[in-house]
Amino acid sequence: MLSGILLGTVLGILCGAVSGLIPGIHANTVAGLLLSLQALLLAWFEPVVIASAMFATLVTHTFLDNVPATFLGIPDAETSLAVLPAHALCLDGRGEEAVRISALGSAAGVALSLPLALGFVLVLPALQPAIDWGIGLIILAVGGYLVVVSESPGWAFAVFAVSGILGVFALGCSYLAWPAGGESGVLMPLLSGLFGVSVLLGGSQGKMPEQRFQGLDIPAGALRRGSILGSAAGALVGWLPGLSSATANTLLTSVVGYDSNPREYILATSAANTVNAFLGLAAFYAISRTRNGVMAAISALEDMPPATAILLAGALAAVGAYLLTILFSRAAGLFSGVNVRALNRAVIIFIVMLSFVLCGPFGILVLLLATAVGCVPALVNIRRVYCMGAIMLPVMVYSFGLA
């Protein structure tokens, strides 16, 4: 079995590198592809190889998805808010530092996820009915708190509500999208409009400053605090149904400001992203619930391997993914002197094309509406976090049984 775990891990690292570095491709997509090839793969490999490859892909993706977010400013569901401080550091000549901090956060998340998973498995299954009932109330309380402490509560509520209605519309009518992007493919144009195109349209001018790495400028206290807070948020959304890393990002903004503490926020969200993957696996084996597409694909395998085998594959993948992330962080030098306006235009064109390929005309409509909403925070001088209503309101609607 060990040789199968190692083989699956290597395959998963390769697949995760592709999905993490290419915007629009998610680990869920790769898992679905492997599942569709199950009959062919089982003729050559043990089931543990396929399952290990799926989970290793997910873990690797959580490490590497911050690379395009940092250098290009293209968000996905996991980096929707983290892209703002990461890309800002890149525009300040510290892109490599931003990527290395995210890698450090993910590594800390791996180290903390195992004891968290054990504690959750032992305690939470008996409390699951009460937990399921209270999810919507938790999200409602967090959203209300963020609005109340806003610089302008009226505008904050308006942006939160409008983006939330847009999220309900986009996800509720996702059947209008082309099937290429899968059921969650509509998240790409939705979040790219709110946090990508709208930012790039008003982005910096001139040339990208010289990228220099002068070490990690993050205090030890912020390192510890960000790792613990991020891991706790990732564990929460990894176990609870209907939540995602995007929700964790929003929760973290209530305690770690992405504008006032950008490095700590990047570290915390990266930890949350990776812990979410491991706790999703724990929830699957403990209470038989799938929290993401990868877990759904593993559950559909003809012969599921034990949890210890999948955890080992994830831990090994984390080591390889960390090294790959450090390697790709050095690509920051390639952006030195690049015309920022031309780069922004190229990224916007890429996002439009990708939205059309994944979701068709419906994706373009969602992208246009999301971009319009995403431009409002800068005009009224509030934080962009309130655009996360696009994720939080649909979760509340789902939790309260309204859809």
Side-chain angles (χ1 to χ4, degrees), residues 74-152:
I74 303 179
D76 63 14
E78 284 73 30
T79 61
S80 48
L81 280 175
V83 66
L84 301 176
H87 191 56
L89 285 175
C90 184
L91 294 175
D92 196 34
R94 297 179 175 271
E96 182 173 351
E97 180 188 358
V99 174
R100 284 175 177 260
I101 289 175
S102 72
L104 186 61
S106 291
V110 174
L112 293 173
S113 62
L114 298 181
L116 282 171
L118 179 61
F120 275 39
V121 167
L122 293 176
V123 175
L124 292 187
L127 304 175
Q128 198 61 40
I131 292 173
D132 292 343
W133 181 84
I135 292 171
L137 295 178
I138 295 173
I139 300 301
L140 179 61
V142 172
Y145 171 77
L146 290 174
V147 168
V148 169
V149 300
S150 166
E151 306 88 340
S152 177

